[in-house]
Amino acid sequence: MVRSVVRMSTASAAPTRRSISLRRYRLIAWLAFASLYVIIVTGSLVRLTGSGLGCVDWPACNEERFVDVSTPHAAIEQLNRLFTGVVAASVIAAMLAALFVRPRSRRTVQLALLLVAGTVGQVVLGGIVVLTGLHPLSNMGHFLLSIALMAWAFWLVDAVSKRGLEEATTYSSRDYWRSLATRASWSLSRGPRTATLSRVVALMTLVAIVTGTVVTGTGPHAGDESSPRFDFSISHVARIHGGSVLVTVALAVVLGLLLRRDGASRDMQNAFEAFLFLAVLQGGVGYLQYFTGVPVLLVAIHIALSVAVWLAALNLATTARRGIRATSIGVAAEPVAH
């Protein structure tokens, strides 16, 4: 009898040992998030130091060596490639761990899978970048996929946060994406206008990032002296990019005025203030680098800040959505007066 009880307790404990606590999974998700951010910065340094063709082949560095650090340019490019292994390990860990978190979340698993798929895509695009001699189109694709990866990583860490878990009980991400196709979801009436304008700000932030990659593909930092450039006027594309930034900041200011008028929550105010601060700082760095001949240090700061602004825009839109849902749930819960 005692043996059977021991066996039963051991069998029931087995699934617990194979599961991962939510607290531990948050750490794994944040590590994946951080590694994806870091490799964007290190990748920009490869280009800014002229090391884009430090390794002239892919996946090996060159025909003689798989790993080559014999020259400064080769060492910089090789270190960035090796760090890709750290990124791959972190996103694979996030995906596998998502299967063992209890209770398991379908959205968390899907986002972790997207991180793995996106990282594989980055490896392929990295090879295309090298094999095309750092063509600006391939470089644009490489960076914009990084922006998508950061969005997925943000949503992943948000999904396992306390607020994300509370929302998951009453919120379907599939229904949310479907609702974006409806006219009511983009209404500017008093209730939903905060969420609508927050989404528009996030979209304009993405536009500013895309136009910024065109400026980079036209400017002097190609990653190698022999690399091709877009045949655009740098002043013209810079003006278009600057215009998109100004429109984004102007829309954010309008949003801020509406938040003040409507008496927004402290969470929403914090999200707005963080975005506006980073957007204005980013714009200032952008104009400073343009008028000082795009020095390497300022360009590196500008690239790192562009990702920070994108994350702040995503946080702004997410916080606004939650505020609208909380309001609607509160209204629905109010008793009807007789």
Side-chain angles (χ1 to χ4, degrees), residues 67-238:
V67 176
D68 186 3
V69 293
S70 58
T71 66
H73 287 326
I76 292 171
E77 167 65 3
Q78 195 67 67
L79 286 173
N80 185 63
R81 288 190 183 187
L82 292 176
F83 190 74
T84 302
V86 175
V87 175
S90 67
V91 299
I92 290 172
M95 182 197 69
L96 294 176
L99 299 174
F100 294 97
V101 176
R102 297 294 181 270
R104 184 189 296 179
S105 167
R106 182 178 179 182
R107 183 165 184 256
T108 300
V109 173
Q110 289 173 340
L111 288 169
L113 283 171
L114 282 174
L115 292 185
V116 173
T119 302
V120 172
Q122 284 290 59
V123 172
V124 175
L125 270 176
I128 293 173
V129 168
V130 173
L131 297 177
T132 58
L134 308 182
H135 192 279
L137 275 177
S138 58
N139 269 317
M140 279 181 63
H142 204 38
F143 183 76
L144 292 177
L145 181 53
S146 295
I147 292 297
L149 276 163
M150 289 309 305
W152 298 331
F154 169 83
W155 288 328
L156 177 63
V157 297
D158 179 73
V160 295
S161 68
K162 183 178 179 181
R163 290 178 181 174
L165 291 170
E166 290 173 352
E167 185 182 47
T169 59
T170 58
Y171 167 77
S172 169
S173 58
R174 180 179 299 178
D175 291 340
Y176 172 71
W177 288 109
R178 286 176 178 172
S179 72
L180 292 182
T182 64
R183 182 180 299 180
S185 183
W186 298 91
S187 172
L188 291 176
S189 59
R190 183 179 177 84
R193 66 186 179 187
T194 297
T196 297
L197 196 52
S198 296
R199 284 195 294 268
V200 173
V201 168
L203 287 173
M204 280 306 304
T205 301
L206 183 59
V207 170
I209 290 173
V210 173
T211 58
T213 62
V214 177
V215 175
T216 303
T218 308
H221 296 296
D224 189 83
E225 294 180 357
S226 62
S227 300
R229 303 276 76 203
F230 286 133
D231 189 21
F232 301 140
S233 167
I234 186 65
S235 60
H236 288 168
V237 292

Side-chain angles (χ1 to χ4, degrees), residues 170 324-334:
T170 58
I324 293 297
R325 284 185 56 78
T327 301
S328 62
I329 292 172
V331 170
E334 289 182 0

Side-chain angles (χ1 to χ4, degrees), residues 35-57:
S35 67
L36 287 165
Y37 201 138
V38 170
I39 200 166
I40 294 175
V41 178
T42 60
S44 70
L45 292 176
V46 170
R47 164 180 279 191
L48 296 174
T49 56
S51 305
L53 292 179
C55 289
V56 295
D57 204 355

Side-chain angles (χ1 to χ4, degrees), residues 204 207-212 215 234-250 279 282-284 286-287 290 302:
M204 280 306 304
V207 170
I209 290 173
V210 173
T211 58
V215 175
I234 186 65
S235 60
H236 288 168
V237 292
R239 287 193 190 98
I240 293 172
H241 173 59
S244 65
V245 172
L246 290 175
V247 170
T248 304
V249 173
Q282 170 74 332
Y287 279 107
Y290 179 75
H302 195 58

